[in-house]
Amino acid sequence: MHAYLRQFYRIFGVMFDASKATSGYDIDLYWSGEPYNTFLASLRQFLAPLNVLGDADRYLKLSGIQYLEVILENTASIIHKMGQTPASEAEVYKAVRHILESVFPSAKTPKSNFFKTAQEYKPDILIPELSSAIEYKHANNEAKLKAVIAQISDDVKGYTGDDDYNLFYAVFYVTNDFWGKAKFEKAWEEKNFPKNWRPYYIVGK
């Protein structure tokens, strides 16, 4: 507990700054879409392991999402360290999936109900414990990159009807930096995808 207290002081400071604590707000893009106080959110997350909060599970899930996003951001590094040069979408997500399955056990045998009249939609990776689905896209030229961004529009419509999943990731693995991150983010913004869809632009080889 002494070590835990030292961590508390390191994160929140020895002196309590009420003005700063009450003025910091952000938008909860993961669930509610509503503004929340960042100090209280950090405090709840810090206290969650002590099991003194009724909504501790929500903040443990938020911690899990942070781990997930770090893994997705490091897709290129993971593939590079494995010595692979993926030539397809399947080769990309298979290289990362075993990492995710090690961190999130529920990703090993997931189920979903994304059924539509004409077809069943199957995300590349599902993580039930985080209510998250991940779709990987592979592009080896600029034209293909434009095409796979357009494909996400169909995925957005298809990945509905299953209340167990409410956060979706689109990871674009490109073999060269065709656009740069700024142009990619602009193209994504112009599509007006739902806020619960989060993109990643990953430059590999």
Side-chain angles (χ1 to χ4, degrees):
M1 294 305 295
H2 290 296
Y4 207 57
L5 180 60
R6 287 195 296 271
Q7 288 294 319
F8 178 89
Y9 288 145
R10 183 182 64 81
I11 296 171
F12 300 102
V14 176
M15 299 297 293
F16 178 65
D17 187 337
S19 177
K20 181 179 179 180
T22 56
S23 62
Y25 280 83
D26 202 347
I27 303 296
D28 182 1
L29 298 177
Y30 294 107
W31 283 282
S32 68
E34 300 292 329
Y36 68 94
N37 181 273
T38 54
F39 171 79
L40 290 178
S42 298
L43 183 61
R44 289 191 184 103
Q45 187 171 355
F46 182 84
L47 295 176
L50 299 179
N51 199 28
V52 295
L53 300 172
D55 57 353
D57 287 346
R58 178 176 182 273
Y59 291 94
L60 289 175
K61 178 179 284 190
L62 182 56
S63 297
I65 287 175
Q66 291 172 345
Y67 283 117
L68 168 62
E69 293 184 349
V70 168
I71 294 172
L72 298 182
E73 288 173 354
N74 285 277
T75 292
S77 177
I78 292 170
I79 292 174
H80 174 72
K81 290 177 180 178
M82 294 177 67
Q84 297 184 6
T85 304
S88 67
E89 172 186 311
E91 290 180 8
V92 174
Y93 74 74
K94 286 179 180 178
V96 180
R97 187 167 60 187
H98 78 279
I99 301 290
L100 292 171
E101 289 176 350
S102 298
V103 178
F104 306 106
S106 68
K108 294 181 179 179
T109 55
K111 296 180 181 180
S112 67
N113 294 303
F114 297 118
F115 298 107
K116 296 295 179 286
T117 302
Q119 71 180 97
E120 176 187 1
Y121 286 81
K122 293 183 177 180
D124 296 322
I125 301 171
L126 291 167
I127 306 180
E129 64 200 83
L130 299 182
S131 303
S132 301
I134 304 162
E135 184 69 28
Y136 269 93
K137 299 297 183 183
H138 179 276
N140 54 11
N141 57 60
E142 186 174 358
K144 182 65 179 296
L145 178 57
K146 292 179 180 178
V148 294
I149 291 177
Q151 289 172 13
I152 294 295
S153 296
D154 187 52
D155 292 335
V156 167
K157 297 174 183 177
Y159 295 159
T160 57
D162 191 332
D163 294 336
D164 290 335
Y165 297 93
N166 50 42
L167 185 58
F168 302 89
Y169 292 92
V171 184
F172 297 86
Y173 183 92
V174 296
T175 57
N176 207 332
D177 194 4
F178 306 115
W179 281 358
K181 189 174 181 180
K183 183 176 179 179
F184 170 80
E185 290 177 347
K186 181 64 176 178
W188 178 269
E189 180 183 345
E190 290 174 350
K191 291 289 186 179
N192 292 315
F193 290 117
K195 294 296 185 182
N196 62 333
W197 276 82
R198 303 177 66 82
Y200 283 88
Y201 180 74
I202 306 297
V203 180
K205 62 177 181 178

